[in-house]
Amino acid sequence: MYRKNLTWFGFNITQKQAVQIFTLSLIGIVFSLFILSTFVVSYLTSFMYYNPEYYPENYLVQMILSMSPFLILLLSVFLLSCYSAARCRKIAKYYSYHMFNPPKSENVPQYCQNAGHNFCKNCGEQF
């Protein structure tokens, strides 16, 4: 798998950014599942204790319709968090530091900008 093909919503991100986004997406998954579970529990409770004498006939349908904007928002947060977690995990796993930051050779001498002479990297003496 090649690193340049892996993007997050079309952006090339570094390994550090991928780990941070992965952490935030896991938090988003946990919170959205928690809030979605509260909606499901409230719906199931209303369904179990439904009494037609006190509520209209289509009360359960009205309840789902009234909660639909929140459910759609939470489902979209959950799906985006899942996509981000999966994509950032792959990016962090297959990230190559040398692809964007080529290694500097240890044996290449450094040159003086003023005189143009080359110097030893360790002791600073001229070659």
Side-chain angles (χ1 to χ4, degrees), residues 33-95:
L33 281 178
F34 176 73
I35 295 172
L36 281 171
S37 66
T38 60
F39 279 119
V40 170
V41 167
S42 67
Y43 183 73
L44 289 176
T45 306
S46 296
F47 183 72
M48 287 184 342
Y49 296 116
Y50 177 72
N51 189 349
E53 294 177 7
Y54 297 111
Y55 300 108
E57 291 180 16
N58 53 3
Y59 170 73
L60 298 176
V61 175
Q62 289 176 357
M63 185 175 163
I64 289 179
L65 289 176
S66 66
M67 291 189 321
S68 64
F70 302 110
L71 290 174
I72 290 170
L73 178 70
L74 286 172
L75 284 174
S76 62
V77 166
F78 177 73
L79 292 175
L80 288 174
S81 297
C82 287
Y83 171 79
S84 295
R87 182 57 73 170
C88 289
R89 182 176 178 267
K90 286 182 183 178
I91 290 172
K93 184 177 181 181
Y94 295 109
Y95 183 81

Side-chain angles (χ1 to χ4, degrees), residues 109-121 124-127:
Q110 295 178 348
Y111 293 96
C112 175
Q113 295 177 356
N114 296 331
H117 300 289
N118 53 349
F119 297 92
C120 176
K121 190 174 185 177
E125 288 188 29
Q126 187 176 5
F127 285 112

